[in-house]
Amino acid sequence: MRISMAYIKIVVLLLLVIGLYGFASVRNAKRPMGNIAIKFVGEENLYLTEEAVNKLLIQKLGALENRAKDAVVLDSIEKIVQSSPMVKTAQVYRTVDGKLISKIIQRKPIGRIEGNSRFYLDSEGKRMPLSRYHSARVPIITGKITEKTLEDAYVILEYISQDDFLRKNVIGIHIKDEDAYLLKLRVEEFVVNLGSVENLDEKFKKFMAFYVKAAKDNSLDTYAEVSLKFDNQVVCTKI
């Protein structure tokens, strides 16, 4: 009989715990939630702001702070945040204490197009609108803008972004034609004629060898153009 009573007590205790947990979970789910916490990952320069993300969510879903927690679908919020043209990826989740958080990785511009329309090229070669909150310090692309020349410009920009010297010194790309890409440097007056985008590694190696020698000879300011489009040689045009 003692064993039976002890067993019954344990079962009753378990049922009470389960009931209390279920009641607390339901009550917690019905509580109104606060605003979503926005966390930007990686980039210090914000092309998007917390205020802009919250405004986008309000436009699509209404005010979140008045919603019951169980009425908020995380996937829906995630898709809305990712719909921003400034967002690369977004992850939305709840913390243990019930707070709603969105971690956002922004797209990264590597070049800025200045033509009939103005926009960025991002790190994946896709068009990205300019931001009202921040202007990226990236090379400016001008001249003959077509889908083909934009693809070529992306190849050049991607190469430049991987090289410390070029990333700091190349401030512009002027497109004369599909086989004439001219680089403008931050300090030097001459332009660098790459020709086409073929064999970029070889061309930039030739340029660096020329640059080191010309800097040593103090002759950099005597040139108007440095052409790399010919095989195995650097052709310089003097001022």
Side-chain angles (χ1 to χ4, degrees):
M1 184 67 180
R2 289 179 180 177
I3 296 176
S4 298
M5 287 300 296
Y7 177 78
I8 291 171
K9 287 179 180 179
I10 292 172
V11 171
V12 170
L13 182 61
L14 285 173
L15 289 173
L16 284 172
V17 170
I18 294 171
L20 287 171
Y21 178 79
F23 175 76
S25 297
V26 171
R27 187 176 180 182
N28 183 59
K30 297 299 181 183
R31 284 180 181 174
M33 55 176 290
N35 281 328
I36 184 170
I38 309 298
K39 294 185 178 181
F40 294 101
V41 180
E43 283 290 337
E44 293 181 359
N45 300 325
L46 300 182
Y47 304 102
L48 189 64
T49 65
E50 182 176 346
E51 181 183 0
V53 175
N54 281 320
K55 184 177 180 180
L56 176 64
L57 289 171
I58 290 171
Q59 287 175 343
K60 300 291 185 180
L61 295 175
L64 290 177
E65 67 268 20
N66 296 323
R67 298 287 190 90
K69 290 180 179 179
D70 63 350
V72 177
V73 180
L74 300 188
D75 284 348
S76 297
I77 298 176
E78 208 165 83
K79 288 177 182 178
I80 291 170
V81 176
Q82 287 179 337
S83 71
S84 167
M86 301 298 177
V87 173
K88 182 178 181 180
T89 61
Q91 180 186 12
V92 178
Y93 61 93
R94 279 199 187 95
T95 60
V96 175
D97 57 356
K99 292 180 180 178
L100 196 61
I101 295 176
S102 176
K103 283 190 175 180
I104 297 173
I105 298 178
Q106 298 177 83
R107 295 170 68 185
K108 182 180 179 181
I110 60 173
R112 174 171 174 156
I113 282 67
E114 291 286 345
N116 293 331
S117 56
R118 300 163 67 237
F119 54 91
Y120 290 124
L121 277 185
D122 73 1
S123 57
E124 296 179 345
K126 298 176 182 177
R127 298 186 183 213
M128 173 182 172
L130 303 184
S131 170
R132 58 181 292 190
Y133 305 106
H134 180 78
S135 181
R137 296 184 64 184
V138 291
I140 295 175
I141 295 94
T142 57
K144 189 176 181 179
I145 307 297
T146 66
E147 289 302 319
K148 174 61 169 62
T149 59
L150 281 181
E151 290 176 7
D152 288 348
Y154 170 67
V155 172
I156 298 170
L157 289 167
E158 190 176 34
Y159 189 99
I160 289 171
S161 69
Q162 303 300 318
D163 184 276
D164 189 57
F165 175 85
L166 296 173
R167 187 172 61 252
K168 291 178 180 177
N169 287 280
V170 176
I171 61 172
I173 302 173
H174 181 70
I175 305 170
K176 290 182 69 175
D177 213 328
E178 292 181 5
D179 59 355
Y181 293 87
L182 308 180
L183 305 186
K184 184 178 180 181
L185 305 182
R186 186 175 304 279
V187 177
E188 311 305 336
E189 293 296 328
F190 61 80
V191 295
V192 179
N193 188 346
L194 285 177
S196 70
V197 295
E198 301 297 324
N199 304 315
L200 282 185
D201 192 55
E202 179 185 337
K203 289 175 179 179
F204 279 117
K205 284 179 180 177
K206 287 191 303 181
F207 172 70
M208 290 308 302
F210 155 80
Y211 191 90
V212 170
K213 184 178 185 305
K216 187 176 180 180
D217 296 340
N218 295 317
S219 60
L220 288 173
D221 59 356
T222 65
Y223 301 111
E225 180 177 295
V226 175
S227 178
L228 308 175
K229 65 181 181 179
F230 303 105
D231 293 338
N232 302 318
Q233 59 182 322
V234 176
V235 177
C236 300
T237 304
K238 293 218 170 187
I239 296 174

